[in-house]
Amino acid sequence: MYNSTYQQKINSRLGSYKIKDAGFAQRFGANISDIAEIFQYIYGKHPQAQVLFDTLLDQMCTAHLDRKAELKKRDAEKEKSGTWFLSNQLAGMSLYVDRFAGTLSGLRQKLDYFEDLGVNYLHLMPIFKSPEGESDGGYAVEDFRAIEEKLGTIHDLSDLQASMQEKGMYLMIDIVLNHTSHHHEWAKKAQAGDKEFQDYFYMFEDRRIPDEMEKDMPEIFPESSPGSFIYDERIDKWVMTVFHQYQWDLNYTNPKVFVEMLANIFYYANLGVDVLRIDAPAFIWKQIGTTCQNLPEAHKLLQMIKLCVEVATPGMALLGEAIVAPAQIMEYFGTGRFATHECDFAYNATHMAVQWDALATADTRVMLAAQSELAKKPLGASWITYTRCHDDIGLGYDDHMIEQSGYTPYLHRMYMKNHYGGVQEDSPASGALFAVNPKTQDARISGSLASLCGLEKALASKKKSAIETAIQKIILMQAHCMFLGGIPVLFYGDEMGYTNDYSYLQDPGKAYDNRWMHRPVIDWKKNKKADKVGTVENRVFSATQRLIRIRKSLDVVADLKNIDWMACHNRSVVGYERFIGEKRVYFIFNFSGQEQDLTWYAFERNGKRPSQLKDAWSGKSFAVGSDEEHLSCGPYEFFILS
Ligand code: GLC
């Protein structure tokens, strides 16, 4: 809504900063009232609220001025193309720069590899300075502006970004919003007794408040980092550390923290970041008597970030890494008048987990039960779809989804943990339980895509049929998430069938965290095997490559709220239809190791069914028959039928 006081604030800044860009002025005018309203709501009572609000407005102007012409041009192109990131032309990969290519400039040399695979969107796992041994894979940031030395320099990042942009590729990096390393300058000042910086964190004189809060705060790493506070003897205080004890939670009740972190966000935007992954946004607001997750203020802060980014660096989309219950994930897309003005993306963690559920049980009912919740995603926002990432697999889907399928939630999750977590000896999967909580029996699962699909044990057994089955499962899992809607982001190594890497056990900085078993160091000699027809690497790589190619050839796969789930009348088979207008493509997946029948009736809509279908995967054609006839689906087979 128009507000003359705010308009004057804009006008005076446009003058003093000599900004002539009409688009910027327009976006500023459109968003300032909302930004002010949220700022006032969160920080209104803070003594420095006014001054810091003005600083925030100044930051938006400087961020705009610092934005290079090429990036502004790219912003304009993105704006023109509609919501650019909903396109079926995007396919991503998430990787550790050091483990994949050594350095940022090494990674630049590998851009051809991605082009060959079809990947045009890279998520670089945290690349900013982080203390060796207390790093959490880079998620304990010591300096938000300095690249980790072993990876290179900020210029190397710029060069990489420029080369990627030239090739039409997109860049995603993280902003670790919730916490800093205890070696960050702010933490060091706080440790030295500086009160101003102690207020950047949550610190308490004694255990009274921590004890009270810990009653409701779930532990994130109960084995390696129990509790949510640590005692720091240098300052004789209890410091909040929700994740590892070396990751100190930032205090967002202090507006200075917000304004400083927003400046870092703009800094990243102006490095040419296309999608900013906001790490752990569910945790950024804490309140005694709550779980300290998903609180309304956390959403308000994210909305404020979005509104500011829309003004100053509009081409950068936001991904909220909220790995939370299905209903709560939806809230990260924004609610009410902020719908699609919060995070542009969320991880489809629910779907990822139910894919693993279906693979373990050969029963897709839990997956189907999850869909009505997932369908609530608003048009204009999107998912990151994935089978594996650098983190563990959490079984955080709702109990009612399991109950609807006729299972008991506790026993069902136990089955899953036993199947994948290295407990059940005759399971084909080799994984491990992660973050086992002895108090609640909760646990998550670590393991690479290939190992969880059985390749590790199959290779050890040298049994051809077991290897074949594992490869089929890997491809099925990747295919299932490739066409679902959203940007598929592969985890590096999975395109080559890397099995678990147990060398992390030899490194004391990693041994306490078994997520490292699925974060491989790429062996380029092994990758070379992809050139030799018939090798495992070749089978997996070429299948992944083909899946991406097919994705890019099907416009129905763009994420436009254009998915219908089919009634397959067979628990092991699941199908979804993607459509635009009259054009429909049917994606059918058999999650069981047995041959299954799918009645042709499943293809009927409004009394009509197609007469002929062609499978883009196998090249086979099928004449659609009567209700009593069926499409026969081989073990772990899938179809892309149009
Ligand atoms: C996110 C990251 C995870 C990290 C945590 C703490 O969940 O994905 O790897 O441990 O945040 O920063």
Side-chain angles (χ1 to χ4, degrees):
M1 223 174 286
Y2 178 75
N3 175 309
S4 63
T5 317
Y6 297 141
Q7 193 55 48
Q8 274 169 34
K9 280 186 185 283
I10 296 179
N11 292 345
S12 73
R13 282 178 175 77
L14 293 177
S16 59
Y17 286 102
K18 298 195 176 62
I19 297 177
K20 297 223 168 55
D21 188 313
F24 174 76
Q26 214 170 38
R27 298 192 300 269
F28 211 163
N31 281 8
I32 192 166
S33 296
D34 285 331
I35 297 171
E37 188 185 308
I38 300 177
F39 197 89
Q40 180 67 21
Y41 168 78
I42 304 270
Y43 297 122
K45 294 203 182 83
H46 192 277
Q48 281 173 283
Q50 207 41 57
V51 181
L52 288 163
F53 180 65
D54 286 337
T55 310
L56 182 146
L57 300 185
D58 287 329
Q59 272 179 196
M60 284 199 272
C61 296
T62 50
H64 169 74
L65 288 173
D66 291 346
R67 200 156 177 78
K68 287 185 287 196
E70 305 92 87
L71 291 179
K72 287 184 179 154
K73 197 169 143 231
R74 193 160 156 102
D75 290 344
E77 283 162 9
K78 284 177 179 166
E79 195 180 355
K80 228 164 103 196
S81 72
T83 312
W84 61 274
F85 49 76
L86 303 179
S87 160
N88 60 309
Q89 295 303 317
L90 298 169
M93 181 182 280
S94 176
L95 57 90
Y96 290 93
V97 173
D98 55 340
R99 299 171 92 75
F100 188 86
T103 60
L104 287 162
S105 57
L107 186 62
R108 193 149 72 96
Q109 310 303 319
K110 297 277 183 234
L111 294 183
D112 292 350
Y113 177 80
F114 302 114
E115 281 191 309
D116 183 28
L117 181 58
V119 159
N120 53 6
Y121 174 110
L122 295 184
H123 170 210
L124 311 187
M125 296 298 296
I127 47 177
F128 289 89
K129 194 162 192 269
S130 177
E132 182 78 46
E134 289 184 328
S135 154
D136 188 19
Y139 284 105
V141 181
E142 187 178 333
D143 186 336
F144 289 103
R145 308 271 176 119
I147 300 282
E148 178 60 49
E149 250 166 60
K150 65 177 181 209
L151 303 179
T153 64
I154 206 83
H155 300 294
D156 297 335
L157 179 63
S158 261
D159 290 347
L160 172 67
Q161 189 280 331
S163 303
M164 285 175 64
Q165 185 164 337
E166 230 167 75
K167 289 178 180 291
M169 297 176 79
Y170 296 87
L171 174 66
M172 171 157 105
I173 66 169
D174 284 80
I175 178 85
V176 186
L177 208 59
N178 179 65
H179 43 257
T180 70
S181 154
H182 65 154
H183 288 298
H184 188 280
E185 189 195 346
W186 300 336
K188 282 195 193 141
K189 287 186 176 158
Q191 280 161 356
D194 188 329
K195 291 265 178 292
E196 186 188 345
F197 287 93
Q198 289 185 349
D199 201 26
Y200 273 47
F201 301 95
Y202 289 97
M203 298 196 165
F204 303 94
E205 308 285 326
D206 53 45
R207 282 288 314 179
R208 268 175 305 174
I209 296 177
D211 281 344
E212 211 39 53
M213 292 186 87
E214 277 183 352
K215 285 184 194 158
D216 302 294
M217 292 171 80
E219 291 171 296
I220 309 300
F221 300 129
E223 292 163 308
S224 60
S225 210
S228 298
F229 296 84
I230 52 137
Y231 178 65
D232 191 307
E233 55 187 22
R234 285 158 294 190
I235 43 177
D236 185 24
K237 284 188 197 305
W238 290 88
V239 185
M240 186 187 283
T241 58
V242 168
F243 289 88
H244 292 102
Q245 290 168 351
Y246 51 77
Q247 288 165 310
W248 287 17
D249 285 61
L250 284 167
N251 171 13
Y252 281 93
T253 67
N254 179 354
K256 271 191 229 162
V257 170
F258 180 80
V259 169
E260 295 244 34
M261 290 305 286
L262 185 67
N264 288 329
I265 289 174
F266 285 146
Y267 179 75
Y268 291 177
N270 283 339
L271 292 172
V273 169
D274 296 288
V275 179
L276 185 69
R277 178 187 186 273
I278 300 182
D279 185 59
F283 296 85
I284 58 176
W285 194 265
K286 278 80 178 182
Q287 197 170 306
I288 199 158
T290 72
T291 58
C292 296
Q293 290 183 36
N294 306 309
L295 294 176
E297 288 82 356
H299 288 287
K300 286 280 149 216
L301 291 172
L302 293 171
Q303 286 160 9
M304 189 153 57
I305 292 171
K306 177 66 185 164
L307 293 166
C308 294
V309 165
E310 276 175 355
V311 174
T313 58
M316 183 172 77
L318 303 179
L319 158 63
E321 187 253 345
I323 309 298
V324 297
Q328 281 159 340
I329 289 186
M330 287 306 145
E331 296 180 357
Y332 287 84
F333 297 120
T335 45
R337 73 191 163 93
F338 287 99
T340 69
H341 287 280
E342 193 172 316
C343 295
D344 301 290
F345 288 98
Y347 282 94
N348 200 343
T350 302
H351 201 90
M352 180 275 295
V354 295
Q355 261 187 251
W356 286 106
D357 188 303
L359 191 72
T361 58
D363 184 340
T364 62
R365 287 177 301 168
V366 179
M367 179 183 285
L368 286 176
Q371 298 312 320
S372 59
E373 200 58 61
L374 297 177
K376 291 181 188 158
K377 176 174 69 62
L379 178 64
S382 196
W383 297 115
I384 296 295
T385 60
Y386 62 119
T387 54
R388 288 300 291 115
C389 70
H390 68 288
D391 278 331
D392 44 282
I393 301 171
L395 307 175
Y397 36 102
D398 290 332
D399 282 357
H400 72 79
M401 297 169 181
I402 302 176
E403 278 158 358
Q404 261 182 51
S405 315
Y407 299 118
T408 310
Y410 177 80
L411 294 176
H412 186 71
R413 289 203 175 87
M414 184 69 86
Y415 174 81
M416 290 283 290
K417 287 182 280 186
N418 290 346
H419 183 84
Y420 289 120
V423 183
Q424 182 195 325
E425 271 177 29
D426 62 352
S427 162
S430 16
L433 294 180
F434 174 70
V436 181
N437 189 328
K439 291 173 227 155
T440 59
Q441 298 303 311
D442 277 347
R444 283 119 62 188
I445 293 154
S446 283
S448 75
L449 170 68
S451 288
L452 294 177
C453 285
L455 187 62
E456 188 175 326
K457 284 191 183 170
L459 289 172
S461 75
K462 299 202 169 70
K463 276 196 198 132
K464 263 199 167 151
S465 64
I467 296 173
E468 194 54 38
T469 301
I471 293 175
Q472 276 168 355
K473 286 187 186 176
I474 293 170
I475 302 170
L476 173 90
M477 291 292 274
Q478 296 292 46
H480 187 85
C481 80
M482 190 75 72
F483 305 104
L484 197 60
I487 303 182
V489 175
L490 310 170
F491 189 58
Y492 79 108
D494 289 347
E495 82 286 12
M496 285 286 173
Y498 273 71
T499 53
N500 291 338
D501 175 351
Y502 299 100
S503 65
Y504 77 99
L505 291 165
Q506 263 63 63
D507 178 343
K510 296 190 171 75
Y512 62 88
D513 186 342
N514 67 25
R515 289 176 299 175
W516 286 102
M517 74 168 58
H518 55 251
R519 300 169 178 175
V521 176
I522 294 305
D523 167 1
W524 287 95
K525 263 201 226 124
K526 173 181 163 69
N527 283 27
K528 200 84 196 104
K529 290 195 202 151
D531 296 341
K532 192 159 173 237
V533 176
T535 59
V536 171
E537 290 78 4
N538 172 269
R539 299 275 309 279
V540 178
F541 186 86
S542 56
T544 313
Q545 193 180 39
R546 272 186 65 212
L547 287 172
I548 296 176
R549 235 181 260 151
I550 295 174
R551 172 183 159 81
K552 290 186 181 173
S553 72
L554 295 173
D555 55 358
V556 291
V557 170
D559 193 15
L560 304 170
K561 264 187 115 58
N562 48 345
I563 183 165
D564 281 337
W565 287 81
M566 297 166 74
C568 287
H569 307 281
N570 179 331
R571 284 178 191 182
S572 295
V573 180
V574 76
Y576 52 78
E577 296 171 35
R578 305 296 317 273
F579 56 89
I580 289 183
E582 292 297 297
K583 192 154 133 201
R584 274 183 186 263
V585 181
Y586 306 83
F587 298 85
I588 315 283
F589 305 85
N590 176 9
F591 275 89
S592 97
Q594 313 294 322
E595 185 155 327
Q596 300 288 339
D597 291 343
L598 172 63
T599 162
W600 290 114
Y601 178 63
F603 293 83
E604 186 156 313
R605 290 256 156 208
N606 306 322
K608 286 194 216 143
R609 65 182 77 173
S611 54
Q612 194 76 24
L613 289 168
K614 182 160 188 196
D615 179 15
W617 185 248
S618 66
K620 285 186 218 153
S621 288
F622 301 93
V624 176
S626 65
D627 296 356
E628 293 74 33
E629 292 173 308
H630 53 254
L631 172 70
S632 123
C633 316
Y636 304 113
E637 193 177 10
F638 65 90
F639 303 85
I640 303 169
L641 300 169
S642 2

